[in-house]
Amino acid sequence: VSRRKVRKWSSGGGWTAVQETRNPAWALADKWTNAVYGDGYADARIDLAGLYTAAQTWDARQDRFDAVFDQIYDSFQADQMIAQAGRAAVFRRNTVMTLSRDQLRGMPVTAFTARNINPGSLAIEYKLANESTPDGIIVEYWDNRIWDWVDILCPAPGVATPAKPHRLKLFGVTGATHARREGLYHIADSYYRRKLASFSTELEGMIPSFGSAVVFSPTLPGWGKGGDVVSVQTAA
């Protein structure tokens, strides 16, 4: 049994000595900073605060990354394989490597209305279900108790027994609870997220990043209302 030992980071204490951890955040940090087998980035080139925040979430959920890279992948693909174990995706913002986890957000970071959506650029796509749309997912994961690949059937919302599931192999996920949770997330994601909007804007597009929550209210029936604040009168 191999155990990964890498450094951790915190805002108050900086980098720790190498220690055992199964957290995906510190696997990413090691891959990004290690100059021998990693990317060799300086600390200023990685989002250490974002990694720390993600690490706290993954520790609380007991999301683990237990894997060995025994095949050749490009660097960015390896990043995504590590982050996927924690329901996240890696991207580069300006020159800094960071990540975003798909989760409930609080306040949106900005809003897009008829005021800042470029005229004629809006397109909305609806992904309709058909006879080939999967009604479940068969998750394949390497079980850390029996040391073999195991299947878990995860039905779509409202489906008792899937009749046409598709398969998903989770790299680095070795626990049954973790695998089932991610399988249910993936099938719910494909089940509910079927309305896709695209548009162009100007400098407002620099405010959000990948995964940010935004308000979207175009000039279409049923999408809400928008306007401009022209004056404010305070109470006497």
Side-chain angles (χ1 to χ4, degrees), residues 5-228:
K5 289 188 176 183
V6 297
R7 300 182 300 166
K8 298 181 180 181
W9 181 91
S10 66
S11 58
W15 289 106
T16 67
V18 294
Q19 56 186 272
E20 181 183 342
T21 177
R22 300 168 65 193
N23 196 299
W26 307 128
L28 270 176
D30 181 63
K31 189 262 183 187
W32 285 343
T33 59
N34 193 286
V36 177
Y37 51 79
D39 300 304
Y41 293 136
D43 288 0
R45 295 282 308 280
I46 62 176
D47 181 10
L48 289 169
L51 285 171
Y52 178 80
T53 300
Q56 305 311 299
T57 299
W58 289 331
D59 275 340
R61 293 170 54 86
Q62 297 186 21
D63 287 353
R64 310 301 188 199
F65 176 74
D66 302 322
V68 175
F69 285 95
D70 56 1
Q71 300 181 40
I72 296 177
Y73 302 96
D74 65 61
S75 179
F76 189 68
Q77 183 182 7
D79 289 343
Q80 304 301 348
M81 293 168 70
I82 298 172
Q84 180 189 238
R87 200 179 300 176
V90 169
F91 63 101
R92 189 192 304 271
R93 189 171 193 186
N94 297 325
T95 62
V96 177
M97 296 299 298
T98 186
L99 74 163
S100 175
R101 184 177 183 275
D102 193 358
Q103 62 188 16
L104 181 66
R105 306 289 179 181
M107 291 292 292
V109 298
T110 189
F112 293 101
T113 67
R115 192 69 168 155
N116 54 7
I117 295 175
N118 291 341
S121 68
L122 175 64
I124 299 179
E125 176 188 358
Y126 294 85
K127 298 172 62 178
L128 302 179
N130 54 44
E131 63 277 2
S132 62
T133 300
D135 57 356
I137 283 182
I138 299 175
V139 172
E140 302 176 49
Y141 77 99
W142 183 265
D143 192 279
N144 57 16
R145 296 165 300 179
I146 64 175
W147 288 79
D148 199 359
W149 288 100
V150 175
D151 292 348
I152 293 181
L153 180 61
C154 300
V159 176
T161 304
K164 45 186 177 181
H166 71 89
R167 288 187 169 270
L168 172 68
K169 180 173 287 189
L170 294 177
F171 180 75
V173 175
T174 60
T177 300
H178 187 185
R180 181 177 293 105
R181 194 164 54 208
E182 295 311 300
L184 291 172
Y185 155 76
H186 279 281
I187 190 60
D189 177 69
S190 65
Y191 185 84
Y192 288 116
R193 288 174 170 168
R194 295 183 177 177
K195 188 182 298 182
L196 308 175
S198 63
F199 57 89
S200 64
T201 184
E202 296 185 0
L203 289 179
E204 291 93 339
M206 299 294 293
I207 299 174
S209 63
F210 179 78
S212 295
V214 300
V215 171
F216 176 62
S217 183
T219 53
L220 295 174
W223 283 84
K225 298 179 180 179
D228 297 320

